[in-house]
Amino acid sequence: MSAPSSKIKSVLVTGANGYIGNAVARAFVRAGWTTYGLVRNPQTTTELAADEITPILGSPANITFLESLYPYTKTFDVIVSTTEQVFDYVPHYNDVISFLRTLSTTSNASGVRPLVLFTSGCKDYGTTDLHGSPNLSPHTESSPLRPQPVLVNRATNAVKIFDHSDLFDAVLLRPTPLYGFSSSYYGPLFDMAAKAAKEGILELPMNPRGILHGAHVDDCAEAYVAIAEHPHVVKGQCYNVSGYRYETLEDVAKALVKEYHIRGGVKFVSAEGIGVPLPVQALLGASQWVGSEKVRNDVSWKDKRLLFTEGLHTYRGAYEAAIEQEHGNVKSIKERVRMAEAMKGGQ
């Protein structure tokens, strides 16, 4: 049997050891792309190689590493940016843009104009009404950006990715909060439930009608691949990535009570922020329904994994295994929780 005649495409994923970045890189490998992963930590290169991702050691802040990349290839069909510094967004963003322009210049000189997939997040839109509200409607790609103060720099700068059409085409992706494996910001939610199981009650200072709209990280990664494989359709577009339906905080709380056998059940209280880490407050306290019909229609993407409440036992097991393995992404989220609490205490 003859080999496929179509050209094998190449992709570079930044932050390829991160929560989104690693899932995206593995998804491109599964789809048959030659996949390179940019990481800063030399200890993660072996893990990437084991997943058939060619590790590239370096950082957008110091692009001298490109000399170690060019022996592999000087052209990229797609470059995926998945990293950000939430609390100091602009300097890192500027480094990423400089890196993207340098790499795209080289790729263009060799005859390949890259498509850049740039990652922001759905929290850039702000909040929607609660479940059951008469005026409830989803955030779509045409919704105005009304982020919380900590996300203003991200929301206002991410859209500038379209200002570089002299060197590359661009797509801006805004995923919902993601779960699965090491769990990202859902991890502290598991921690809170485990603590509640010992104390006998789960107290949440949120409205039970609040909307938590998430997606499994692998489904999100498949959306990146689907978008990359339709370059002429997607260039210049924004895409939300979300699960096929949302869940309410009441749904989530009941599922946690059942899973952790919290004998006193859940109590929704009015005291804001009591005993709840800031990232969990941001996850649960910012009610948001996010529409993703555009990406479904344009590139035929659909999510396949169970909703958070449906697969909660499995997702809990994966998170606890990640803790046992001292997974880097768990450590990263715990450090962000610590930083957020420190900033709150300093106000």
Side-chain angles (χ1 to χ4, degrees):
M1 182 180 294
S2 61
S5 58
S6 58
K7 172 184 174 291
I8 296 177
K9 294 184 177 181
S10 63
V11 58
L12 174 67
V13 181
T14 70
N17 63 321
Y19 187 63
I20 295 180
N22 188 250
V24 169
R26 288 185 287 107
F28 273 103
V29 170
R30 291 193 299 270
W33 289 58
T34 298
T35 305
Y36 300 86
L38 179 62
V39 293
R40 293 181 299 175
N41 186 350
Q43 296 179 347
T44 63
T45 57
T46 300
E47 297 173 8
L48 293 189
D51 287 332
E52 301 178 3
I53 302 162
T54 301
I56 303 297
L57 192 61
S59 166
N62 183 357
I63 58 176
T64 56
F65 78 88
L66 289 174
E67 294 306 317
S68 66
L69 172 62
Y70 291 150
Y72 292 103
T73 182
K74 292 186 177 181
T75 63
F76 287 97
D77 298 282
V78 171
I79 307 169
V80 182
S81 174
T82 70
T83 62
E84 66 178 22
Q85 298 291 336
V86 174
F87 301 113
D88 193 21
Y89 188 87
V90 174
H92 179 70
Y93 172 83
N94 289 336
D95 287 340
V96 170
I97 292 299
S98 177
F99 154 70
L100 291 173
R101 289 189 61 84
T102 300
L103 188 56
S104 297
T105 297
T106 301
S107 189
N108 275 283
S110 298
V112 177
R113 176 180 171 88
L115 174 68
V116 170
L117 307 188
F118 192 86
T119 307
S120 188
C122 72
K123 296 301 181 184
D124 293 356
Y125 297 117
T127 60
T128 62
D129 288 333
L130 301 173
H131 173 69
S133 299
N135 296 323
L136 175 63
S137 60
H139 282 145
T140 69
E141 291 81 358
S142 60
S143 297
L145 301 180
R146 294 170 179 165
Q148 295 295 316
V150 71
L151 295 178
V152 167
N153 282 336
R154 184 182 77 178
T156 55
N157 282 279
V159 294
K160 297 177 183 177
I161 194 65
F162 298 114
D163 295 346
H164 304 276
S165 57
D166 57 320
L167 289 174
F168 55 78
D169 296 319
V171 176
L172 178 59
L173 290 95
R174 295 191 180 107
T176 59
L178 303 173
Y179 55 83
F181 303 112
S182 59
S183 288
S184 188
Y185 288 109
Y186 280 76
L189 184 59
F190 285 126
D191 295 338
M192 191 171 64
K195 181 181 178 183
K198 295 178 182 178
E199 297 175 347
I201 190 167
L202 177 62
E203 288 193 339
L204 294 175
M206 290 99 179
N207 192 309
R209 293 167 50 221
I211 293 171
L212 176 56
H213 202 168
H216 193 283
V217 67
D218 269 357
D219 281 331
C220 178
E222 296 293 340
Y224 278 71
V225 175
I227 289 169
E229 293 184 337
H230 294 80
H232 300 297
V233 174
V234 302
K235 63 181 181 180
Q237 299 296 317
C238 296
Y239 287 104
N240 298 337
V241 182
S242 62
Y244 74 93
R245 72 169 176 86
Y246 64 72
E247 300 169 289
T248 67
L249 299 193
E250 186 173 27
D251 296 333
V252 172
K254 286 181 177 178
L256 289 170
V257 166
K258 181 179 179 180
E259 171 64 24
Y260 284 85
H261 305 288
I262 302 173
R263 60 183 182 276
V266 60
K267 182 179 180 182
F268 290 94
V269 296
S270 59
E272 184 177 351
I274 291 181
V276 179
L278 279 176
V280 176
Q281 292 181 44
L283 181 69
L284 301 183
S287 181
Q288 188 180 36
W289 174 18
V290 180
S292 55
E293 285 72 20
K294 183 178 177 181
V295 69
R296 297 171 190 273
N297 293 334
D298 283 3
V299 301
S300 300
W301 170 82
K302 64 178 181 180
D303 48 321
K304 302 173 184 176
R305 302 297 292 269
L306 294 176
L307 298 175
F308 180 69
T309 57
E310 295 172 340
L312 191 147
H313 180 73
T314 299
Y315 303 145
R316 173 191 177 182
Y319 175 64
E320 291 176 353
I323 293 176
E324 268 191 56
Q325 296 168 350
E326 298 183 345
H327 197 286
N329 291 334
V330 174
K331 292 180 180 179
S332 175
I333 292 298
K334 289 185 181 296
E335 176 61 18
R336 291 183 190 180
V337 170
R338 187 197 66 76
M339 289 178 61
E341 294 296 333
M343 289 179 66
K344 179 183 178 183
Q347 290 178 352

